[in-house]
């Protein structure tokens, strides 16, 4: 049995595209065990098993970022631990599905026999909250947060320029010279904080990542 597989061999035997394998390597989610002198990537049997685990999580609705974070924890360091975790997720989903099937069967039987079904039984296993409006509001807030951060960034720059100039020229914008300088220092600090916080949110926080976090809890397990 061949213990090393090229990218094309892995793609052929697993059905995963070469493009996907290259992308997983690029984001350091799945790295080949060996890269030959000719530049060929070689995957081991362990790599193929790890690929299976990644795709199982993907099928369950996890994002690649979530999978990478999950696999980097000490809680799931072995293949057995990861497979057991996946099995737990699926079993929980099966139990939820069984409850819903039972509710539908009860409702169907009641309709066919023209019986009255207790309201409590009608809603067993059913998601009783419609979060669509709240979810939309969260998404809109995140999308427009970039604009708000840009406004605060410009506001912070304006504060820094205005009050640093007032301090250098000893011409306080508010109050007497001593009190005015204190006020200028306070507003200067506020300006710097506005710049730092908004700059971090503008340049280091990705809108897509924030949306993924918010929408993850609304994503149903895929089968």
């Amino acid at each position: 049995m061949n213990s090393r597989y090229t990218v094309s061999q892995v793609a052929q035997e697993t059905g995963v595209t070469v493009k996907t394998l290259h992308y997983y390597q690029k984001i350091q989610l799945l790295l080949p065990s060996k890269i030959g002198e000719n530049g060929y990537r070689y995957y081991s049997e362990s790599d193929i098993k790890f690929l299976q685990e990644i795709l199982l999580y993907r099928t369950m609705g996890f994002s690649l970022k979530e999978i990478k974070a999950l696999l980097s924890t000490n809680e799931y360091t072995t293949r057995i631990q990861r497979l057991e975790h996946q099995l737990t997720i699926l079993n929980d989903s099966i139990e939820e599905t069984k409850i819903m099937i039972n509710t539908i069967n009860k409702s169907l039987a009641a309709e066919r026999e023209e019986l009255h079904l207790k309201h409590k039984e009608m809603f067993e296993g059913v998601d009783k909250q419609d979060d669509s409006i709240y979810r939309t509001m969260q998404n809109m807030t995140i999308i427009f947060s970039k604009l708000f951060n840009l406004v605060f960034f410009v506001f912070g720059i304006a504060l820094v320029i205005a009050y640093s100039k007032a301090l250098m020229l000893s011409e306080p914008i508010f109050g007497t010279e001593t009190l005015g300088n204190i006020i200028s220092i306070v507003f200067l600090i506020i300006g710097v904080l506005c710049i730092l916080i908004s700059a971090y949110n503008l340049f280091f926080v990705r809108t897509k990542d924030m949306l993924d976090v918010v929408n993850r809890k609304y994503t149903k397990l895929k089968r």
Side-chain angles (χ1 to χ4, degrees):
M1 181 178 177
N2 187 9
S3 59
R4 299 288 178 188
Y5 305 87
T6 63
V7 174
S8 58
Q9 286 175 325
V10 174
Q12 184 178 2
E13 295 191 17
T14 65
V16 180
T17 64
V18 172
K19 184 178 179 181
T20 297
L21 292 170
H22 287 170
Y23 182 67
Y24 286 177
Q25 181 185 358
K26 180 181 177 181
I27 63 174
Q28 296 188 321
L29 181 60
L30 177 67
L31 300 175
S33 295
K34 180 182 177 181
I35 298 180
E37 294 180 0
N38 54 7
Y40 281 22
R41 301 169 178 83
Y42 294 97
Y43 292 87
S44 66
E45 192 66 33
S46 295
D47 295 330
I48 293 178
K49 290 179 179 179
F50 195 62
L51 174 62
Q52 179 210 29
E53 295 162 19
I54 292 171
L55 295 179
L56 283 170
Y57 277 122
R58 285 291 286 153
T59 306
M60 294 176 191
F62 287 80
S63 68
L64 291 177
K65 184 177 181 180
E66 289 169 331
I67 294 171
K68 190 174 181 180
L70 188 148
L71 295 178
S72 65
T73 64
N74 294 327
E75 193 173 356
Y76 307 110
T77 55
T78 68
R79 175 167 168 81
I80 290 177
Q81 288 174 326
R82 293 189 290 269
L83 290 174
E84 286 178 343
H85 178 236
Q86 292 169 340
L87 190 59
T88 299
I89 294 173
L90 289 172
N91 282 331
D92 289 343
S93 175
I94 290 171
E95 288 304 313
E96 292 174 1
T97 303
K98 283 181 178 179
I99 294 172
M100 285 193 289
I101 290 173
N102 186 48
T103 299
I104 293 171
N105 282 331
K106 284 182 179 179
S107 301
L108 193 57
E111 287 299 315
R112 285 172 174 168
E113 299 175 21
E114 298 183 354
L115 299 174
H116 177 72
L117 189 64
K118 292 181 180 179
H119 291 163
K120 187 175 181 180
E121 292 181 285
M122 288 174 62
F123 293 92
E124 286 182 354
V126 176
D127 188 355
K128 302 174 182 66
Q129 295 181 345
D130 183 4
D131 296 313
S132 57
I133 296 176
Y134 179 63
R135 179 183 181 184
T136 301
M137 291 296 294
Q138 284 183 308
N139 287 333
M140 292 299 292
T141 300
I142 290 172
I143 292 170
F144 284 107
S145 66
K146 288 293 183 181
L147 178 60
F148 297 147
N149 279 299
L150 180 60
V151 171
F152 277 109
F153 184 73
V154 174
F155 177 68
I157 292 175
L159 285 178
V160 169
I161 292 174
Y163 286 97
S164 59
K165 182 179 179 182
L167 282 172
M168 287 187 292
L169 299 177
S170 296
E171 296 177 354
I173 298 175
F174 299 107
T176 60
E177 183 172 344
T178 302
L179 180 60
N181 286 337
I182 294 174
I183 294 174
S184 295
I185 291 172
V186 170
F187 277 99
L188 185 61
I189 294 171
I190 292 173
V192 171
L193 289 175
C194 284
I195 292 172
L196 292 175
I197 295 172
S198 57
Y200 175 79
N201 289 326
L202 280 171
F203 304 115
F204 296 100
V205 178
R206 295 175 58 196
T207 301
K208 183 179 181 300
D209 292 340
M210 294 173 68
L211 289 171
D212 285 343
V213 170
V214 169
N215 292 305
R216 177 69 184 89
K217 62 183 177 181
Y218 300 106
T219 303
K220 299 296 183 182
L221 182 64
K222 298 176 183 177
R223 295 178 180 83

